[in-house]
Amino acid sequence: MSVDNHLENDILNAINGELFGIISERFIIMEEEVKESKGSGFMLKICGFIVDKRNLFFLIYAILAVFSVFSRNWVKVENQMSYYLPAESETKRGLDLMQEEFVTYGSCNVMVANVSYPQAEGIRDDLSNIEGVFSVDFDNTEAHYTNGSAYYNITFDHDEDEEECLTSLALVEDYLDGYDTYLTTSLGDIQSELINEEMKTISIIVVIVVVSVLLLTSQAYAEVPVLLITFGSAALVQMGSNFLLGTISFVSDSVTIVLQLALSVDYAVILLNRYKEEHKTLPPREATIVALSKAIPEISGSSLTTIGGLVAMMFMQFKMGADMGIVLIKSILLSLLSVFLLMPGIIMLFSGLMEKTQHKNFIPEIPFVGKFAYLTRYIVAPAFVLVISAGCIISNKCPYVYGYSKITTPIINRVQKAEQIQEENFGSSNMVALVVPKGDYESEALLLRDLEACPEVDHTLGLSNTEALSGYTLTDRLTPRQFSELINLDYEVAELIYTAYAINDEDYAKAVNGLSTYKVPLIDMFSFVYQEVKDGYVTLDDDIMDSLEEANRMMTFARNQLEGENYSRMLVYLNLPEESDETFEFIDRIHTIADKYYNDDGVYVVGESVSEYDLEKCFGRDNTVVSLVSILAVLVVLLFTFKSAGMPVLLIVVIEGCIWINFSFPTLMKDPLFFLGYLIVSSIQMGANIDYAIVIASRYTELRETMLRKEAIIKTMNLSFPTIITSGTMLAVAGTVIGKLTSDAAIFGIGRCLGRGTIISIFITMFVLPQILLVGDKIIEKTAFVMNMPVRNRQMSGLIRVDGLVRGRIDGTVNGMMHATIRGNVSAYVESGDVTQVSDENDTQGTRIDTADIQKEGV
């Protein structure tokens, strides 16, 4: 072939190649533009609507705020933990049964200090005459009078759920106003009211801290009101919407607002930072729209890990976890809506003021942290593995408790102070209720006798061992003669009454064959006689009638408490602490003793000790479920975030290690921890604290595309520090303040563990995670499962040699096979072939980067 033919073919090939490249490029660009117009365009339209219709959203939130001010008062708060026990637990079934079968009269215990015994007797008499007081137990024994102090057990005439009890209680408190008194009662919501007072103080302190942190981390003073208005609106709507749930626990009611602030303030910060970035080149409206379009997916992704951790709480058998999980998830979703719908308008409102109140950045860069991480990567990473291994072992021995008796809170409210002083002077009692099928008084008497023979039992109380008159118990069976002698009734009248009873009881044989040996339980005969007198069938002397009235009053009171339609209730007072292995073992033994008479058919033991025993049984299962579900939920989110199997595993190991270290402290300090603190805080720590690790890991992954490991980790820590210190400080302070300023053991445990756990998570993510990322770099790379995507954009300038199939812009647009040396700027995807940086015009052996290297480095 001639030279001309060669030249012609080369020209034709070049033209065809160029045409192919141009056509291919147009198809690719058109495809990308269509995708972008469908995705980003739609999102921008939505964001534009939100920004332009901001007055509409202002109005909506104003209406919701006003509504929430009223609806927050409709929320019902449950103060009893037993309410949240599983339906199949003994305590739950026993409580429901007792609610149906028995009357529990209102009561209170009062200690009056610095009084003589005659004064104490006078006080007893006066208390007995107060309207609504049924009885006042007081006598000259150490159980009621010692060291110049009197102890009264006051019982009211009404069920503890009736308002009349509170009225009578107020009268008692008014009478005792001039004495040195210590009163305890289960009536009303005194404890809840005290907790709410404490949480108001805690909220004020947390808000002050949050404002201080925002002032330090913001770039303009006017940013602070933007964030506070956004959060305040979300918090108010959160409180107002709780009524939709019907009833929430006192824990959820108390700590949700503080935790909502600490958990979700990041979302508002992310949008505000996005706005400031866009506002550098765009006017406020356009900057807000673009910022919102970029922030929505970023914020939504960030919230998923937190929600994933909270979802784990909803799988707990102990339903308080589900209650708190639902309330917190709702609070986060409402915070998201507030950021997406309300905050853009607030940014527009304050945009001018933010420009006028700008100040210097107070958060310093921390290059030394990245340098330290690079130097110690082969020391710290292995050491951390040893530390968390030890933490796993130690935390498994954490001294969990299931009641409040072993926990000392940092502050003591007036109710706790009264309980403490009463116990110091008169001791404490641990009572459980034993519920058995009704009707067999003999079996009840034998059961009570067997229980009182146990050294673990102080005394028992039931119809079968309650003294009525002249040494007879309420369930003793009396003949007509014994009954007549007991109440000074004519024997003939007694016989007539017994005959009527026998006929009424369809025991006709006794009525016909003689009544001399016919025996009827005393309590039943008194009730029958009283009803016959009221119906006019029997007439008694005034003296006998007075005695009958008083006896009927006392017996009716006892029967309402101890005998229902189908079940009888007995009270067992233990010589055991409220919570101990010995106590739990004896509860099982009570069942064994009762089985001799009832074959475990409808036998229930109910009380604080039994409730704590049931909680212990729940905890083993809930502990495993919460850990697994929170890890799996967060793992799924991280897999889609990083598109790598290695990175999620490393991050979860780090945060799970933080959890183990956190709960090693109670073991090492021999400090009892209320079990709920672990279940809730471990979920929050896994769901929320892992965001700190994600911030660092995401930055590092991004920077590794264009930097070496050392430079990447140094810059990563500089860029991540403001975000972590802002969010982490808020959550750590919120938890610590809650733990320091509450008198409730459950809230105390949650706050203390959350504060300590967040501090540990901040420290580990700042000073241990970087080393783990550096050491695990190759693991992350090799476990990436999205390998079919084109490598990221490579940018060069100067003299550049390009060999291979590339797509991008080289002082123009190119898409196709090329072999060229270029002086200028290159921004192109390298799909195959090589890109070589040439040092100068004469040097063609510059730094060579092939496709495999580019993929390896993430470039």
Side-chain angles (χ1 to χ4, degrees):
M1 185 177 293
S2 66
V3 174
D4 291 338
N5 289 335
H6 278 293
L7 182 60
E8 182 180 355
N9 287 335
D10 288 342
I11 293 173
L12 288 173
N13 288 336
I15 293 173
N16 290 335
E18 183 176 352
L19 287 173
F20 173 78
I22 293 172
I23 294 171
S24 299
E25 178 206 355
R26 293 310 303 161
F27 272 115
I28 292 170
I29 293 175
M30 288 172 63
E31 182 181 5
E32 291 178 349
E33 287 177 348
V34 169
K35 289 180 180 178
E36 184 175 351
S37 64
K38 288 183 178 179
S40 301
F42 180 70
M43 179 64 76
L44 287 171
K45 287 181 180 178
I46 294 176
C47 296
F49 175 82
I50 292 173
V51 173
D52 292 337
K53 301 296 181 181
R54 54 188 177 274
N55 289 332
L56 171 63
F57 292 107
F58 287 161
L59 177 61
I60 292 173
Y61 267 87
I63 294 172
L64 288 175
V66 173
F67 177 79
S68 297
V69 170
F70 295 97
S71 63
R72 60 181 296 187
N73 298 316
W74 306 342
V75 181
K76 296 180 180 179
V77 179
E78 177 56 55
N79 296 310
Q80 297 298 322
M81 287 201 175
S82 56
Y83 177 85
Y84 295 97
L85 283 167
E88 65 275 10
S89 67
E90 182 174 20
T91 298
K92 186 68 172 176
R93 288 183 296 163
L95 286 173
D96 290 344
L97 182 63
M98 290 197 301
Q99 184 74 21
E100 297 173 4
E101 291 275 331
F102 309 106
V103 175
T104 301
Y105 289 98
S107 63
C108 68
N109 298 319
V110 180
M111 173 183 156
V112 181
N114 304 312
V115 292
S116 64
Y117 185 74
Q119 285 178 305
E121 286 185 310
I123 293 172
R124 176 198 59 194
D125 296 338
D126 291 341
L127 289 172
S128 299
N129 293 325
I130 291 177
E131 182 181 355
V133 172
F134 176 82
S135 65
V136 179
D137 293 337
F138 175 79
D139 53 38
N140 190 17
T141 63
E142 289 189 357
H144 289 281
Y145 186 81
T146 185
N147 299 324
S149 297
Y151 186 61
Y152 306 93
N153 306 115
I154 302 174
T155 305
F156 299 108
D157 276 327
H158 302 279
D159 188 289
E160 62 181 358
D161 295 328
E162 296 179 10
E163 287 294 326
E164 289 83 352
C165 278
L166 295 176
T167 302
S168 299
L169 177 63
L171 293 175
V172 169
E173 291 176 326
D174 289 342
Y175 169 78
L176 295 170
D177 189 41
Y179 294 95
D180 183 9
T181 61
Y182 302 92
L183 185 148
T184 59
T185 181
S186 60
L187 299 176
D189 292 328
I190 298 176
Q191 188 71 13
S192 178
E193 292 171 3
L194 293 173
I195 292 173
N196 286 334
E197 291 175 7
E198 294 167 359
M199 292 309 301
K200 289 177 183 177
T201 303
I202 290 171
S203 299
I204 292 172
I205 295 174
V206 170
V207 168
I208 292 173
V209 172
V210 167
V211 171
S212 301
V213 172
L214 292 177
L215 286 173
L216 290 174
T217 57
S218 64
Q219 295 177 353
Y221 294 116
E223 293 177 11
V224 176
V226 171
L227 298 172
L228 291 181
I229 293 172
T230 302
F231 172 77
S233 303
L236 188 56
V237 175
Q238 156 66 14
M239 290 187 290
S241 61
N242 280 335
F243 83 96
L244 297 173
L245 302 176
T247 300
I248 63 174
S249 70
F250 70 96
V251 177
S252 298
D253 184 58
S254 301
V255 304
T256 298
I257 297 303
V258 177
L259 293 182
Q260 182 185 9
L261 169 61
L263 291 174
S264 59
V265 72
D266 280 353
Y267 311 147
V269 172
I270 289 173
L271 176 57
L272 190 59
N273 288 340
R274 281 287 187 183
Y275 166 77
K276 289 186 289 186
E277 290 176 10
E278 300 299 332
H279 187 43
K280 292 177 181 178
T281 57
L282 296 172
R285 176 184 175 276
E286 287 71 19
T288 305
I289 293 172
V290 175
L292 183 60
S293 68
K294 293 181 178 180
I296 287 177
E298 182 179 354
I299 293 171
S300 300
S302 175
S303 67
L304 286 178
T305 54
T306 304
I307 293 174
L310 296 175
V311 164
M313 295 165 59
M314 300 174 64
F315 289 85
M316 290 169 54
Q317 279 186 320
F318 184 53
K319 297 306 178 184
M320 186 177 283
D323 173 86
M324 193 168 182
I326 291 171
V327 175
L328 282 174
I329 289 173
K330 178 168 69 70
S331 72
I332 288 174
L333 294 177
L334 290 174
S335 296
L336 289 175
L337 288 176
S338 182
V339 169
F340 295 158
L341 301 179
L342 180 64
M343 188 174 174
I346 300 174
I347 290 176
M348 291 291 294
L349 201 62
F350 282 83
S351 59
L353 196 57
M354 283 192 286
E355 292 182 14
K356 295 178 182 178
T357 59
Q358 290 184 1
H359 60 76
K360 69 175 183 178
N361 188 1
F362 298 113
I363 301 298
E365 291 191 347
I366 51 170
F368 63 90
V369 174
K371 294 176 181 178
F372 172 79
Y374 189 78
L375 291 173
T376 60
R377 61 192 185 279
Y378 295 119
I379 300 173
V380 171
F384 180 68
V385 173
L386 296 177
V387 170
I388 63 172
S389 299
C392 179
I393 297 171
I394 296 172
S395 63
N396 283 330
K397 298 178 181 179
C398 186
Y400 297 110
V401 294
Y402 307 92
Y404 288 4
S405 58
K406 293 184 177 180
I407 298 177
T408 302
T409 54
I411 64 175
I412 299 176
N413 61 45
R414 66 175 186 271
V415 174
Q416 292 169 329
K417 182 180 180 181
E419 290 175 347
Q420 192 177 78
I421 292 176
Q422 287 179 4
E423 289 179 11
E424 290 173 356
N425 287 273
F426 296 98
S428 61
S429 62
N430 181 17
M431 183 270 289
V432 297
L434 175 59
V435 181
V436 299
K438 171 189 172 182
D440 190 349
Y441 292 138
E442 287 77 11
S443 293
E444 288 182 26
L446 292 172
L447 175 55
L448 291 172
R449 184 199 63 189
D450 289 350
L451 289 172
E452 288 200 339
C454 298
E456 295 88 351
V457 176
D458 181 73
H459 67 281
T460 63
L461 176 64
L463 290 179
S464 298
N465 67 352
T466 298
E467 186 175 341
L469 297 169
S470 302
Y472 290 114
T473 66
L474 291 174
T475 59
D476 281 344
R477 305 176 76 87
L478 276 64
T479 64
R481 183 166 298 280
Q482 290 172 317
F483 185 73
S484 66
E485 293 173 351
L486 179 64
I487 64 172
N488 295 321
L489 183 68
D490 287 341
Y491 179 67
E492 291 76 12
V493 176
E495 280 191 320
L496 289 174
I497 293 173
Y498 267 65
T499 300
Y501 183 92
I503 294 172
N504 186 69
D505 201 35
E506 298 184 354
D507 197 347
Y508 302 107
K510 292 293 183 181
V512 174
N513 298 328
L515 299 168
S516 59
T517 60
Y518 185 33
K519 293 183 177 182
V520 178
L522 179 60
I523 189 171
D524 293 339
M525 183 52 68
F526 262 107
S527 299
F528 178 75
V529 171
Y530 185 79
Q531 190 60 47
E532 291 293 297
V533 171
K534 287 296 182 183
D535 292 341
Y537 298 119
V538 177
T539 302
L540 300 175
D541 295 337
D542 290 341
D543 291 341
I544 297 176
M545 192 60 203
D546 290 341
S547 299
L548 183 63
E549 287 278 4
E550 180 61 23
N552 181 74
R553 177 173 174 268
M554 298 298 294
M555 290 183 186
T556 301
F557 180 81
R559 177 164 250 161
N560 287 342
Q561 292 189 94
L562 301 176
E563 187 175 59
E565 184 177 351
N566 301 297
Y567 287 86
S568 292
R569 177 164 63 176
M570 292 166 273
L571 308 181
V572 183
Y573 293 84
L574 306 179
N575 292 320
L576 298 170
E578 190 175 282
E579 180 180 355
S580 70
D581 291 338
E582 187 181 2
T583 304
F584 296 159
E585 289 172 5
F586 187 70
I587 290 170
D588 290 333
R589 191 177 167 197
I590 291 176
H591 276 284
T592 302
I593 295 172
D595 285 351
K596 293 192 299 183
Y597 305 101
Y598 297 96
N599 298 318
D600 201 25
D601 182 18
V603 175
Y604 301 94
V605 183
V606 184
E608 287 297 327
S609 292
V610 186
S611 176
E612 292 164 19
Y613 191 21
D614 286 336
L615 289 173
E616 183 188 48
K617 295 174 184 176
C618 289
F619 178 67
R621 182 259 187 195
D622 286 347
N623 186 7
T624 302
V625 169
V626 167
S627 298
L628 289 178
V629 173
S630 61
I631 288 173
L632 289 175
V634 172
L635 180 62
V636 170
V637 175
L638 294 182
L639 285 173
F640 284 98
T641 300
F642 291 101
K643 299 179 177 63
S644 164
M647 181 68 85
V649 171
L650 287 178
L651 298 186
I652 287 175
V653 167
V654 168
I655 298 302
E656 189 63 38
C658 294
I659 294 173
W660 290 336
I661 295 171
N662 185 15
F663 291 99
S664 295
F665 277 82
T667 306
L668 298 174
M669 299 169 65
K670 297 181 179 179
D671 189 11
L673 172 66
F674 192 64
F675 79 104
L676 194 62
Y678 173 80
L679 294 174
I680 291 177
V681 173
S682 61
S683 298
I684 294 177
Q685 214 174 333
M686 177 58 71
N689 289 176
I690 202 167
D691 282 347
Y692 313 151
I694 293 173
V695 168
I696 293 175
S698 299
R699 285 286 189 181
Y700 177 73
T701 303
E702 179 182 346
L703 293 172
R704 277 290 286 129
E705 297 174 358
T706 56
M707 294 182 178
L708 297 176
R709 288 188 297 171
K710 182 176 180 180
E711 288 72 20
I713 202 64
I714 292 173
K715 189 169 183 180
T716 292
M717 300 315 296
N718 282 335
L719 295 174
S720 303
F721 180 63
T723 301
I724 294 174
I725 201 65
T726 302
S727 175
T729 301
M730 293 179 187
L731 190 56
V733 169
T736 303
V737 172
I738 290 173
K740 292 290 186 182
L741 297 179
T742 184
S743 59
D744 184 85
I747 298 174
F748 162 62
I750 293 171
R752 182 176 59 170
C753 293
L754 182 61
R756 182 178 61 219
T758 303
I759 293 171
I760 292 171
S761 296
I762 293 173
F763 179 83
I764 296 297
T765 52
M766 290 294 296
F767 297 101
V768 176
L769 177 62
Q771 288 89 327
I772 293 175
L773 292 176
L774 290 168
V775 173
D777 205 47
K778 292 187 180 295
I779 297 176
I780 298 168
E781 170 201 332
K782 293 183 180 298
T783 56
F785 52 79
V786 181
M787 302 300 295
N788 58 343
M789 300 294 292
V791 293
R792 293 183 67 85
N793 194 25
R794 178 63 171 166
Q795 295 183 350
M796 295 182 182
S797 60
L799 188 62
I800 305 159
R801 177 71 185 181
V802 179
D803 294 282
L805 180 62
V806 298
R807 175 165 57 90
R809 189 170 297 278
I810 307 177
D811 283 340
T813 301
V814 63
N815 182 35
M817 291 296 299
M818 68 179 300
H819 303 276
T821 299
I822 301 163
R823 181 180 295 280
N825 300 318
V826 173
S827 176
Y829 286 103
V830 182
E831 297 182 3
S832 66
D834 302 330
V835 175
T836 304
Q837 178 77 54
V838 181
S839 58
D840 55 54
E841 294 185 10
N842 299 321
D843 185 3
T844 62
Q845 302 298 321
T847 303
R848 181 183 180 86
I849 306 176
D850 61 21
T851 305
D853 290 333
I854 293 171
Q855 292 174 342
K856 179 178 179 181
E857 290 294 325
V859 177

